[in-house]
Each structure stands twice: as structure tokens, then as C-alpha cells.
Amino acid sequence: MEALRSAIEDARSRYVSANPQSQAADKNAERYLPGGNTRSVLYYEPFPLTVASGNGAELTDLDGHTYVDFVGEYSAALFGHSNEIIKSAIHEALDNGVAMGAPTQYERELARLLCERFPSLDQVRFCNTGTEANLMALSTARVVTGRNKLLAFNDGYHGGVIKFLGGRCALNVPFDFVLADYNDIDGAASLIDEVGDELAAVIVEPILGAGGNIQGNRTFLETLRQKTRDVGALLIFDEVKTARLGPSGVQGMIDVKPDLTTLGKFIGGGLPTGAFGGSAEVMAQFNPKIAGALAHAGTFNNNVCSMAAGCAALSKVYTPQLATEFLESSEAFRLSLNEMFATKEVPMYANGLGSMIAIHFSREPTKRPSDITAGCQSLRPLLHMELLLDGMLVCRRGDLFLSLPMDDEQLSKARGTLEQFADRYKPLIEDVLAA
Ligand SMILES: Cc1ncc(COP(=O)(O)O)c(C=O)c1O
């Protein structure tokens, strides 16, 4: 649509004028990085901002603009960028030496903290990313069941080589996946029945993150639990993002206990890590004191900086009580956005739960990925650019992640920015959605 194209062009040209240093840095980076980029999700047109520093809930770019950071490292930056408690835990670990090549007390403490928090975890193992955690969980399920087939969901995201956003991805690992639709209870149940005794596992995000922050329907998740049990397959909850919701993630809110859970993002206090775990029986497969155990390798599985940061983050900062309070306050913020959109009768909706939000162009909550219209998708670049131009750093697909250091002033400014966007573009949004 011409009006939308020209609104996006206009916003981009204001962005280009405001960010000469970022533009030059992006151009220079093209020499040694393809397109100047080493992480696809961080690219957007006309070029991404280059960030120079972060402090609390704010980031500053090369041109000296300061933004409230709602990208929040796609949920990993729960603690912001300079939490003193986490920083001093990292410094202490550094002072005592890195790259130890031996067990340390840090990973034991972090394992205890995680197992005491997440109902499905008797034991865990660490790795370096959420992707790796999911690869390990899926591989474990294949070994434990002696089966090959895996069931995942369209528009699910489990890592750079296990993603189904808009279909299968060319870089995906060649595992034997069958795909069902998220929140389609009958469809998923009958596919599980169909695959039956060939099915090793079902992997699911209890809230579909990259696919639009769509809450998993409770009956849907309960059905997956029951059906996997019926056919002897494992149920894997990918809580890499959702573990931050409340003291023990989505599994702590509903009465569904997966066989395996995967974690990542915030559990390393902002440093790289991942974990997978489950019942003592399944995890015993990795016990090196038992003959024939599975060997799970990884040079940096127990790297001391991530382990120390994770211990401090979970024991001293994001205590179960703070996690409960943060879920409540961030959910109140999300609901306040929806109240504002409804009052203005603008077709915008803050989907998700608590601190995991995605702005959709719709009057209703998005319950399935197929509810996301082409019009909604085409409006995202405009929203993204306009929010950046007003000092609100958000993901290019309209995700907002709240972080602990965000204060009321920053949150109300963000609400004001969204309100201004809604006022300015309501007629255009309505036209685009009607087209
Ligand atoms: C639900 C989910 N699983 C897994 C991953 C992969 O984690 P990582 O990027 O640490 O490999 C992500 C990353 O965004 C995610 O959102």
C-alpha cells in the first residue's frame, strides 16, 4: 500500500539523518562480516544502530542517543546492563581464574538453584546456549525412547538450527520433525496419535515467543502432556524465554510437568549459558559413574563467569519473591497498554504475558500464529522505526521485553510513545488492515 510505503520511507529517512555514525560503522563492518552482521535477528533496514554502552535499562548508540532498552537481549537482559551484584560476582570469578578445565562449586550451586525452582527438574546439565540445550534435549529423547520422530509447532523457535518461523528453515538440523499448529488441540492430538510409537518427543514453548508471544492454551499444554504419555514419548518444555515469568516459569503456573525442560537466556545473569534437565531417571543417562553413560561434552559448559553470574542472579537478585512481584507489575503494564489501545479504539494489542510482550495490529489477543495477518506484518517496520526515533529500542518484529531496572518514568514514557504512534497512525493502520 502506497501510504504505508511512504510513511515507512519517511521514518527511515529521519532515522538515516539522525544516525550518521551508526550508518558509517555498519558500512565499515561489511568488509569482514557478511552485510556487517553476525546475528541475523539484529539486522533491520536501513541499518541497525551500533550500541556503544549500556547502563541499567538504557543503551547509548554511537551517535550519542540514549534509548530505553526494550529489546532486552531478547529476554536475556532481565537484569539490565550493570547490575552491581552480578558484576561483582563476575569480577570475583575472574579474579580466581577462568578456563579451569575442572568442576567448580559454581555449577553445583547453580544446578541446585535451578532444581529447587523448576518443578520438573530433579537434575540438570549445562551447555552454552538455548539452542544447544534444545539439541541436547531432543537428542536425549531420541536415545531414551529409541525413536526418531519429533513433533514441533509451526512458528515455533528453539534456536538457530531448530526453527519453524514461517515454515522449516534451510539451516535446520536434519532431525525428523513433523509439525502441528500451535494451540490447535485436536490437530496436535491426532498427529501425536498418528505418529504413535515412532514419536520420541514433542517440543513446545509454553508461550510461543518469536512466533508472536502467544500464550499456550492450558488445555493445549495439558493435552500434549497426556498424549505424549499415552504414546510413550517425552514432553519437552522449551522455557528458554518463559522461565523468567514468575518464580518457576510457566510450568510453575500450571499443573503440567514436562519430562525435560530447557533453559537459557537470563539464567546466566546476562552471560551465555543454557541448561537442560528433567527427572532423575532420564538424567541418570548422563551419570559418568554408571557404565555406558551418555557423554555430553562442551568446553565451556561450566565456564565460571556464566555460572557465577547465574548463581548471583538467581540467589541474590531474582529471588522467587521478586520474580512474583515482577510478573505482577509487568503484567499490569501490559494490561495498561491494552486499556490505552482499547480507549483509543485503535487496532493494536499487547500480546503475551508479563514482561514478554509483542505488539500486534489487531483489536483482539492473537491466539494462533495464523491469526497474524499480512497487514499486521507489513505495519511492523513502521512501528519499529517510529519507536526507535522516540528513544524506545524494540525488536524489529514488535517484541518488548521488560527488565528489572526499568522504572515507572521509563514505562510511562514508553506508554506515551505507543500512544503517540496510535494517535498519529490510527487511520493508516485501519486502512492497511482493511486492504
Ligand atoms: C524459546 C527459545 N528457545 C531457544 C532459543 C535459543 O537460545 P539461544 O539464542 O541462546 O541459542 C531461543 C532464543 O531466542 C528461544 O526464544
Side-chain angles (χ1 to χ4, degrees):
M1 177 194 249
E2 192 42 45
L4 175 60
R5 252 195 308 277
S6 93
I8 294 174
E9 232 168 71
D10 173 64
R12 282 184 181 155
S13 85
R14 282 180 279 132
Y15 176 89
V16 170
S17 307
N19 295 291
Q21 301 290 341
S22 277
Q23 184 171 31
D26 177 67
K27 188 77 200 140
N28 289 338
E30 288 174 4
R31 171 68 183 85
Y32 296 113
L33 293 166
N37 177 269
T38 187
R39 186 172 167 204
S40 304
V41 77
L42 299 187
Y43 180 73
Y44 46 85
E45 285 187 65
F47 53 84
L49 295 171
T50 296
V51 166
S53 64
N55 185 30
E58 292 184 338
L59 291 174
T60 301
D61 69 11
L62 284 190
D63 289 281
H65 311 118
T66 294
Y67 300 84
V68 181
D69 177 18
F70 286 90
V71 172
E73 191 51 298
Y74 285 79
S75 85
L78 172 66
F79 311 96
H81 303 289
S82 48
N83 182 285
E84 288 303 328
I85 294 171
I86 297 175
K87 255 167 53 181
S88 71
I90 296 168
H91 286 148
E92 194 185 314
L94 273 176
D95 287 345
N96 288 316
V98 293
M100 308 296 218
T104 73
Q105 292 294 58
Y106 291 122
E107 70 260 24
R108 293 160 176 168
E109 176 60 3
L110 187 55
R112 180 185 72 78
L113 288 163
L114 293 173
C115 291
E116 286 182 359
R117 249 163 121 135
F118 294 94
S120 69
L121 297 184
D122 291 336
Q123 297 189 320
V124 285
R125 288 183 72 90
F126 292 107
C127 48
N128 291 277
T129 62
T131 304
E132 213 184 322
N134 284 321
L135 288 171
M136 285 307 304
L138 292 165
S139 298
T140 303
R142 293 168 82 223
V143 171
V144 167
T145 60
R147 302 169 176 184
N148 264 338
K149 286 200 187 290
L150 300 161
L151 190 150
F153 293 91
N154 285 311
D155 296 290
Y157 184 85
H158 304 288
V161 290
I162 326 168
K163 59 182 186 179
F164 307 99
L165 298 170
R168 291 169 201 259
C169 162
L171 288 175
N172 273 3
V173 283
F175 284 176
D176 192 356
F177 278 108
V178 292
L179 298 178
D181 287 334
Y182 195 78
N183 274 343
D184 174 4
I185 299 168
D186 294 342
S190 62
L191 192 53
I192 293 172
D193 280 341
E194 197 182 300
V195 184
D197 61 10
E198 289 180 64
L199 187 64
V202 170
I203 185 164
V204 66
E205 296 162 83
I207 293 179
L208 194 72
N213 284 341
I214 298 172
Q215 287 189 31
N217 174 300
R218 197 188 188 114
T219 317
F220 169 68
L221 297 172
E222 284 168 355
T223 304
L224 298 182
R225 175 62 288 178
Q226 188 53 48
K227 282 285 172 189
T228 43
R229 234 179 232 137
D230 292 349
V231 300
L234 301 192
L235 178 63
I236 304 170
F237 267 14
D238 176 347
E239 294 233 49
V240 167
K241 265 184 182 154
T242 54
R244 58 152 46 198
L245 300 172
S248 41
V250 174
Q251 63 190 267
M253 296 177 207
I254 59 174
D255 194 19
V256 175
K257 200 167 153 189
D259 300 296
L260 285 170
T261 295
T262 56
L263 301 169
K265 305 275 192 195
F266 84 97
I267 66 157
L271 266 54
T273 192
F276 64 99
S279 69
E281 192 193 342
V282 172
M283 296 309 286
Q285 299 279 339
F286 294 97
N287 179 350
K289 293 167 186 161
I290 296 174
L294 296 172
H296 158 228
T299 302
F300 293 112
N301 283 358
N302 63 336
N303 81 85
V304 293
C305 289
S306 297
M307 297 293 110
C311 287
L314 288 178
S315 66
K316 297 184 186 156
V317 185
Y318 206 49
T319 57
Q321 188 183 336
L322 183 60
T324 303
E325 289 164 11
F326 186 56
L327 177 62
E328 280 166 17
S329 62
S330 46
E331 182 63 355
F333 173 73
R334 186 181 77 87
L335 296 177
S336 79
L337 293 183
N338 285 333
E339 246 174 66
M340 180 267 288
F341 294 142
T343 307
K344 297 195 163 297
E345 296 182 358
V346 63
M348 292 175 71
Y349 196 90
N351 233 56
L353 182 69
S355 59
M356 268 177 76
I357 298 173
I359 305 292
H360 291 255
F361 291 95
S362 156
R363 289 182 207 280
E364 305 293 328
T366 300
K367 296 196 173 138
R368 290 202 195 182
S370 55
D371 295 344
I372 301 172
T373 60
C376 171
Q377 293 187 33
S378 69
L379 284 157
R380 285 179 183 163
L382 181 62
L383 177 74
H384 182 231
M385 273 294 114
E386 289 293 7
L387 299 192
L388 291 192
L389 285 161
D390 203 27
M392 191 175 165
L393 204 67
V394 297
C395 306
R396 65 182 186 192
R397 59 179 180 235
D399 294 9
L400 272 61
F401 295 98
L402 307 196
S403 66
L404 294 169
M406 278 179 187
D407 60 26
D408 288 346
E409 198 182 319
Q410 289 164 328
L411 291 176
S412 34
K413 175 163 188 302
R415 193 169 31 243
T417 297
L418 283 160
E419 190 167 1
Q420 243 175 317
F421 179 88
D423 285 338
R424 178 168 178 186
Y425 289 113
K426 183 180 171 196
L428 177 64
I429 296 167
E430 285 174 340
D431 285 354
V432 171
L433 295 181

